[in-house]
Amino acid sequence: MLTSYCLASPQLNWGDDGAPHSTQFDDVYFDKDAGLEETRYVFLQHNQLDERWKSLGSSNKSHFTIAETGFGTGLNFLCAWQAFLASAPSDTTLHFISVEKFPLSKSALTNALKMWPSLETYSQALIAHYPELSHGLHRIELAQGRIQLTLWFGEAEEGFSALNADVDAWFLDGFAPSKNPEMWSPTLFKHIHRLSHQGTSFSTFTAAGIVRRGLKEVGFEVRKVKGFGHKREMAVGELAEQTLSLTERMSQGEAWFNVRQNPAALPTNNENQNKHVLVVGAGLAGATTAYALAKQGVNVTVWEQGESVACKASGNPQGMLYPKLASQDTPVNRFYLSAYLYASKLYSQLDDDAVFWQQCGLEQRPTSEKEKQRFASLLENKLYPESIVCKHGAEGSIFLPLSGWVVLTDLCHKLLDHPLIDVQLNTRLDALTKTGSVPLSWQASTQAQQQSFSHVVICTANDTHELDFLPKTPAYPIRGQVSYLPLEAAKKACSNANEDSAKLTTEHVLCQKGYVSPALQDTLHFGSTYDAKDQDETVRTEGHCRNLRILESLLHLKENTLNEEDCGGRVSFRCAIPDYTPMIGPIASPVELHSHYAILSKNAKWKCHQVAIEQEGLFINIGHGSRGLVSTPLSGAYLASLITNTPSPLEQSIINKLHPNRFVIRALKRSNAN
Ligand code: SAM
């Protein structure tokens, strides 16, 4: 467990020529005179990238994956990006994974990349989308999604051990082994092997024995070749044979949390164009999933039983990006943290004119003395970088500058507005059956039609219970009523109560027991009630009263200043899961899980790495509760990575926590305790 998500800064010395030099490692990031040529020679040329990218189309591959040790200034990444766009077919995607323990600040990065004017367009885009300096996995989408950067900020070994990916070429950079022996560890080589397939290549600027031996030991063929410029030697090679099974390579965790499909069952697996995914439900979960898939070149059909997009809980007029960040590091908190950073970036990217997304920040006031102390210790211990959470005002509040509010329906429409997405409204999924033939496919039926899909993703929140052909889920509804109050009426009520109507103005989202956002179209939107075991769909005055008292407290107005008769509102039902964590991943039959993993009921500590149940292309994405704006974009990207067999944007420990099989597995383990 980490004590802080903040990272150590690199110790840099800038030469007269403007090139960064690490004083910590006493080594250079790149050669100041010939850095570009060196990168192209060592990494691009010696992995034969130009030839391999040109032939992507004929080899039916939709993507290519590079992984690197040591992101540094991103020079290798930028060169690969530029060359990929020049050589690869236009419908293919480059995935670039890199790790960095001491990330440069944005200003240091800007400084360093000034040296390469020919890369300016790419550098500027990287700088604009450079992630917050916070520990963990960051996914950055560039060039309209054609370039996907997966950046691990933290120790290389930890990053690669947390990753699921199928790497085609390795850039083994990182400072010289003599200056940085810790990085070039046997565990790192083990993961390089695990993440590689037959034919995966590597190249590295060094020919040091520790590197050549490490790679040979895990099965790579290693050759020394002429180094760049005056350098005598460097090393290159490839993996002749992958001895690990697919599941050993893909799932480092327990077998029941495997998430990958066996490509053998799907001959068209590499061709995104041949996939056709049915997404059921057009709320936030469905829209973000469809968006992520379409960005990867996959055809998506969305079936929505309602008359419009976002017609249920995702249809409130104004939603806030409100992560509940914990005071300690857990896999679930890591999920919410990286999902939050991803969502904030995505909304800014989708709406750079700030039409439906306002990144105005969010103030979270403590709801109790205990929470006040929790906030104080979270700040004191510097758990989060200041750019993510900082102190605010005198009430013991914390402030989240990357938060803000969204017009939810506009967001969902924007996400679904893609040529590869076909949204069919008033279309209810009535039956789903699997065809036995290879490639597997799913026959989905409505009252009026039947259609075949390669994959299906169920994003139907509480309505999932009605799909009785699917395994039962533990999801349950929690009623929420939001209230709206026109500013005019609120001002009048303030003047009647001798209150200052300036208090109605807030520049940022305010949260405590409830929330209020800055006014949208001269109306305040606030709420929300939290009514478990309440199925009432009607808007109730009693709900407005509760919301108004919370609003008055948030705005420091006297109690009963505002009137419920002035309020409008909306009721919807959050979809909650008993462990307050969404269910995202492949669906398996509980009967099969019970029969294959029955040993768990006798031995809860059983470690099983032999995957018994193959994934067959059926997924679920539900249970986002009140946090859908935070959690759905990254969840969608994660599901898209499973379906396209591309690098996961989530750490394995997070994948396990979100896995739909967790309830059956827990029950099996508990039956042993009884
Ligand atoms: N590829 C980089 C580029 O294109 O600018 C240059 C990489 S620089 C030579 C080496 C990088 O490896 C540094 O940024 C350093 O902080 C990083 N590094 C060193 N040890 C590491 C470790 N154990 N885990 C992760 N990153 C590490």
Side-chain angles (χ1 to χ4, degrees):
M1 212 164 59
L2 288 174
T3 52
S4 172
Y5 293 111
C6 299
L7 296 151
S9 310
Q11 291 159 24
L12 299 178
N13 186 344
W14 297 88
D16 294 341
D17 46 28
H21 176 272
S22 165
T23 49
Q24 196 173 350
F25 292 98
D26 184 26
D27 204 349
V28 291
Y29 281 75
F30 46 68
D31 183 299
K32 64 179 173 28
D33 298 318
L36 277 183
E37 286 73 31
E38 182 163 13
T39 285
R40 288 179 182 139
Y41 176 83
V42 174
F43 297 111
L44 306 191
Q45 207 175 311
H46 278 95
N47 278 297
Q48 289 90 39
L49 293 185
D50 189 46
E51 301 87 301
R52 289 166 82 185
W53 288 343
K54 283 195 172 120
S55 66
L56 275 181
S58 53
S59 62
N60 284 342
K61 274 197 73 166
S62 298
H63 58 268
F64 191 91
T65 303
I66 295 174
E68 176 190 55
T69 53
F71 187 70
T73 67
L75 177 62
N76 292 344
F77 166 64
L78 297 175
C79 288
W81 171 1
Q82 185 188 42
F84 183 80
L85 294 192
S87 328
S90 61
D91 56 356
T92 54
T93 306
L94 175 66
H95 282 263
F96 194 99
I97 303 167
S98 193
V99 295
E100 180 52 63
K101 190 173 179 180
F102 306 102
L104 268 68
S105 66
K106 210 180 231 202
S107 63
L109 186 79
T110 311
N111 231 352
L113 291 175
K114 268 193 208 136
M115 294 200 68
W116 317 114
S118 64
L119 294 174
E120 195 185 352
T121 328
Y122 308 96
S123 314
Q124 278 179 357
L126 172 66
I127 292 162
H129 294 103
Y130 194 58
E132 297 305 315
L133 301 186
S134 122
H135 179 279
L137 211 51
H138 301 266
R139 168 60 63 85
I140 302 115
E141 285 152 11
L142 298 150
Q144 283 80 46
R146 269 199 82 195
I147 307 291
Q148 302 266 337
L149 173 61
T150 305
L151 201 47
W152 169 263
F153 279 165
E155 171 64 44
E157 201 176 285
E158 187 194 0
F160 285 121
S161 72
L163 258 167
N164 264 328
D166 201 11
V167 176
D168 298 303
W170 288 91
F171 291 5
L172 301 183
D173 207 349
F175 294 120
S178 56
K179 306 200 166 167
N180 187 18
E182 292 81 15
M183 191 193 82
W184 304 88
S185 69
T187 312
L188 179 74
F189 293 125
K190 198 183 90 192
H191 286 295
I192 289 176
H193 177 235
R194 180 180 68 80
L195 295 164
S196 300
H197 55 78
Q198 183 184 353
T200 293
S201 63
F202 81 87
S203 68
T204 175
F205 64 94
T206 174
I210 174 181
V211 176
R212 286 185 291 120
R213 277 193 302 280
L215 288 163
K216 264 192 197 146
E217 263 161 36
V218 294
F220 277 86
E221 287 178 354
V222 180
R223 295 183 299 283
K224 283 202 270 190
V225 294
K226 164 84 185 74
F228 177 73
H230 61 274
K231 293 180 187 155
R232 213 156 53 94
E233 291 173 326
M234 56 173 269
V236 297
E238 52 283 316
L239 189 66
E241 191 192 359
Q242 177 51 276
T243 46
L244 301 175
S245 70
L246 178 96
T247 48
E248 281 171 315
R249 287 177 51 216
M250 290 304 183
S251 105
Q252 335 146 33
E254 295 98 331
W256 37 86
F257 291 143
N258 174 52
V259 288
R260 293 283 177 180
Q261 280 186 274
N262 185 349
L266 292 165
T268 58
N269 199 46
N270 283 329
E271 283 177 278
N272 287 348
Q273 299 84 340
N274 284 357
K275 291 177 182 141
H276 187 179
V277 180
L278 172 65
V279 170
V280 187
L284 265 174
T288 47
T289 304
Y291 171 82
L293 284 162
K295 278 268 171 185
Q296 299 277 322
V298 177
N299 275 299
V300 186
T301 294
V302 180
W303 283 359
E304 165 56 55
Q305 66 175 3
E307 287 176 355
S308 59
V309 158
C311 53
K312 294 218 165 158
S314 305
N316 285 341
Q318 199 180 17
M320 343 134 267
L321 183 64
Y322 179 17
K324 274 224 162 151
L325 298 176
S327 41
Q328 57 184 3
D329 174 41
T330 62
V332 172
N333 193 52
R334 282 186 186 205
F335 168 63
Y336 280 112
L337 176 59
S338 59
Y340 168 58
L341 299 178
Y342 182 78
S344 174
K345 272 233 151 61
L346 176 71
Y347 301 152
S348 302
Q349 238 168 319
L350 284 174
D351 186 26
D352 46 9
D353 299 331
V355 176
F356 58 82
W357 157 242
Q358 294 283 337
Q359 192 192 310
C360 55
L362 178 150
E363 176 186 345
Q364 192 179 348
R365 290 197 197 134
T367 52
S368 61
E369 193 50 39
K370 198 168 154 212
E371 190 163 63
K372 197 171 179 175
Q373 282 165 14
R374 189 174 79 76
F375 288 175
S377 88
L378 179 153
L379 293 170
E380 202 175 309
N381 298 334
K382 296 199 183 335
L383 182 60
Y384 300 95
E386 283 223 332
S387 62
I388 299 178
V389 182
C390 55
K391 188 172 162 27
H392 185 85
E395 293 180 66
S397 301
I398 51 175
F399 191 73
L400 284 67
L402 304 171
S403 288
W405 58 262
V406 174
V407 181
L408 286 156
T409 44
D410 287 359
L411 169 65
C412 289
H413 279 289
K414 178 81 185 179
L415 290 163
L416 292 168
D417 181 17
H418 191 287
L420 294 181
I421 303 178
D422 174 28
V423 180
Q424 300 182 7
L425 301 172
N426 301 304
T427 306
R428 186 182 189 280
L429 174 69
D430 280 329
L432 191 62
T433 49
K434 186 173 61 189
T435 65
S437 52
V438 171
L440 290 173
S441 69
W442 292 89
Q443 294 294 326
S445 316
T446 69
Q447 294 273 304
Q449 56 167 318
Q450 194 179 54
Q451 208 177 334
S452 171
F453 297 93
S454 61
H455 301 76
V456 178
V457 189
I458 305 291
C459 305
T460 44
N462 291 310
D463 294 333
T464 310
H465 289 299
E466 289 168 25
L467 307 177
D468 53 13
F469 42 87
L470 294 179
K472 289 263 158 299
T473 77
Y476 63 98
I478 299 174
R479 181 181 182 276
Q481 177 174 327
V482 291
S483 303
Y484 327 137
L485 179 61
L487 271 179
E488 258 329 290
K491 281 182 190 158
K492 205 183 258 171
C494 281
S495 97
N496 291 342
N498 281 331
E499 268 287 11
D500 180 4
S501 62
K503 289 183 182 171
L504 297 168
T505 311
T506 167
E507 309 261 289
H508 49 256
V509 180
L510 278 174
C511 296
Q512 199 166 25
K513 286 202 168 110
Y515 71 87
V516 61
S517 303
L520 168 66
Q521 291 170 345
D522 291 327
T523 303
L524 287 175
H525 295 85
F526 53 100
S528 158
T529 67
Y530 193 90
D531 312 316
K533 298 191 178 147
D534 184 341
Q535 308 288 317
D536 186 4
E537 293 183 10
T538 56
V539 175
R540 298 196 300 241
T541 308
E542 158 280 323
H544 289 325
C545 292
R546 281 191 278 152
N547 286 338
L548 281 173
R549 299 301 81 82
I550 289 172
L551 177 67
E552 287 158 350
S553 154
L554 278 168
L555 298 176
H556 300 306
L557 291 166
K558 282 194 299 266
E559 204 170 290
N560 294 321
T561 299
L562 304 168
N563 307 315
E564 56 276 15
E565 306 89 72
D566 296 327
C567 288
R570 187 172 186 275
V571 169
S572 59
F573 294 84
R574 307 165 179 94
C575 176
I577 306 287
D579 60 6
Y580 307 108
T581 308
M583 281 177 77
I584 310 164
I587 308 182
S589 139
V591 178
E592 282 192 42
L593 283 169
H594 271 279
S595 91
H596 287 295
Y597 300 120
I599 294 177
L600 281 174
S601 64
K602 298 197 177 63
N603 174 11
K605 298 210 168 102
W606 182 43
K607 292 266 173 262
C608 170
H609 299 288
Q610 199 51 47
V611 173
I613 304 174
E614 291 285 355
Q615 306 310 336
E616 296 180 324
L618 178 60
F619 301 89
I620 194 163
N621 180 9
I622 64 166
H624 295 272
S626 322
R627 312 260 167 243
L629 268 175
V630 176
S631 53
T632 55
L634 191 60
S635 307
Y638 163 56
L639 286 169
S641 81
L642 297 185
I643 291 171
T644 57
N645 203 17
T646 52
S648 175
L650 294 179
E651 295 172 52
Q652 182 67 44
S653 60
I654 296 177
I655 290 172
N656 295 353
K657 291 287 174 195
L658 304 176
H659 204 294
N661 289 354
R662 66 189 188 266
F663 298 99
V664 176
I665 296 300
R666 264 179 221 164
L668 268 170
K669 288 184 175 177
R670 280 197 196 124
S671 65
N672 159 259
N674 296 330

